Amino acid sequence: MARVYNFYAGPATLPLPVLEQIQKDFVDYQGAGLSLVETSHRSKEYDAVHARAMSLIRQLLQVPENYSILFLGGGATMQFGMIPMNLVSQPASGGTASIDMTLSGSWAKKALSDAKKFATVTTIFDGSDGSFTSLPAASSLRSTAGAAYFHITSNETIEGLQWKEFPRVEAPLVADMSSDIMSRPLPIEDFGLIYAGAQKNLGPAGVTVVIIRNDLLDRTPADVPAYLNYRTHAEKESLYNTPPVFSIWALSLVLEWILDQGGLGAVADRNRRKASALYEAIDGSSGYYRCPVDTAVRSDMNVVFRLPDEESEKRFIAGAAEAGMIGLKGHRSVGGVRASIYNAMPEEGVEKLVAYMRDFRS
Ligand code: PMP
């Protein structure tokens, strides 16, 4: 079987050894005589997988003891509402609660739109006037007095920009890391809450990882339904109800693979090399390819670029697919080309794309 190089933004390419392991174990899980997806989530087989997945997250990201790791459903999208539902409480002094948000791109915009349903939102940075091509210096940012939390989107998957450093603000820092979690080491202590859908760097879709500082669990108003209350999941180690067992199993295998690669430092170095090769190909093309994003905040995960016209972009994408490189079409809202090069994209895939870019323009 010839596998293509898959540049989809998510669901995205997974490490081949992980897919092969799943294939090997799918029907008869480690000699148990049944598949893990047919096994009770209270069984010893599943329990070991669940515990291993959590401990690998703790180990790889060096998550301190005073943070809980949660496995939830609903995607990152559910977190857009669940975060304010849990973290915003009406000020005892009266007045309205407030949230600080950075409007860095399409995903931040969605998070902002739900946050507004729970509190007054202060837009700390608004990148929409520059069509989302830059970010402010993280060190220049402050939270506003009394803000329930300060929200960033660490990597904008559609516009291809990424915070390289994180704001250090008084309010708890909350980050949507859907498209760059596990791509680099993180100063977890600087965050109050991190969330990420799995389907880019963690595994198949179906599980959303939330890492939350335990003191924030005390904020949830009493009328929040059980599933939507973070404390429910923290207290039951994400076994309050049936978790997405297949996705968590696959996630545990992806994390084992990251560990085998040398952990997040090694993975980050490789991600940097891959992204640099593409940005050099763009910048060295005498203007044929153009990346609209400010050099300092170009994403290592989603490399976006334009060609001189849309017709050339269409031919570029179609030709790449014929050559075994799929998923290069930019998001339908912005057009252009986007190469998503998450952890599992091998360097050879990027080298092949760079060679194709060179050939295409000559
Ligand atoms: N945030 C970001 C940064 C994303 O890239 C995505 C998905 N592409 C989402 C949120 C939404 O995630 P989900 O589809 O898991 O709800």
Side-chain angles (χ1 to χ4, degrees), residues 87-343:
L87 299 193
V88 173
S89 39
Q90 294 311 315
S93 56
T96 50
S98 70
I99 302 171
D100 291 341
M101 308 276 298
T102 49
L103 183 49
S104 50
S106 304
W107 288 111
K109 198 170 171 185
K110 289 211 163 148
L112 195 149
S113 146
D114 268 358
K116 272 188 188 156
K117 296 169 185 161
F118 295 86
T120 304
V121 168
T122 310
T123 308
I124 296 291
F125 162 74
D126 184 351
S128 59
D129 45 357
S131 309
F132 301 125
T133 50
S134 66
L135 291 173
S139 59
S140 69
L141 300 178
R142 303 280 172 273
S143 52
T144 58
Y149 60 91
F150 186 108
H151 185 278
I152 63 167
T153 307
S154 64
N155 184 73
E156 286 287 359
T157 322
I158 294 176
E159 288 81 7
L161 41 90
Q162 184 179 35
W163 292 86
K164 304 295 171 180
E165 284 171 5
F166 302 107
R168 302 189 76 158
V169 292
E170 201 168 314
L173 183 61
V174 171
D176 176 357
M177 293 203 179
S178 294
S179 49
D180 68 351
I181 194 164
M182 294 285 173
S183 69
R184 52 180 171 172
L186 285 177
I188 298 282
E189 308 76 25
D190 291 351
F191 294 87
L193 187 153
I194 289 168
Y195 63 105
Q199 63 273 22
K200 290 109 166 45
N201 264 335
L202 298 177
V207 62
T208 305
V209 174
V210 171
I211 303 173
I212 181 170
R213 208 177 59 217
N214 288 339
D215 59 285
L216 296 174
L217 297 170
D218 295 336
R219 289 198 187 179
T220 308
D223 58 356
V224 170
Y227 190 88
L228 299 176
N229 185 334
Y230 289 128
R231 180 175 285 287
T232 306
H233 303 284
E235 283 177 352
K236 301 285 186 201
E237 296 186 342
S238 295
L239 283 165
Y240 170 72
N241 69 332
T242 319
V245 294
F246 175 75
S247 302
I248 294 171
W249 173 33
L251 172 135
S252 76
L253 297 174
V254 170
L255 299 179
E256 299 281 9
W257 175 82
I258 294 177
L259 201 59
D260 287 347
Q261 303 296 299
L264 295 187
V267 160
D269 288 346
R270 194 171 60 193
N271 287 335
R272 222 36 312 273
R273 282 199 301 275
K274 290 188 296 186
S276 299
L278 279 172
Y279 289 120
E280 277 164 27
I282 294 164
D283 294 340
S285 70
S286 311
Y288 185 80
Y289 301 109
R290 283 169 299 112
C291 172
V293 181
D294 268 10
T295 318
V297 296
R298 289 175 172 181
S299 170
D300 284 355
M301 298 283 100
N302 311 97
V303 176
V304 299
F305 55 98
R306 306 298 312 226
L307 274 68
D309 52 73
E310 285 183 20
E311 202 278 319
S312 310
E313 287 168 348
K314 259 197 192 139
R315 271 194 303 116
F316 178 92
I317 292 160
E322 270 173 36
M325 292 171 283
I326 65 152
L328 284 162
K329 196 162 182 271
H331 191 269
R332 59 191 183 282
S333 62
V334 294
V337 180
R338 169 175 56 174
S340 295
I341 50 170
Y342 302 115
N343 290 346

Side-chain angles (χ1 to χ4, degrees), residues 75-87:
T77 302
M78 191 168 86
Q79 296 309 308
F80 295 162
M82 197 164 158
I83 293 165
M85 200 179 271
N86 280 267
L87 299 193

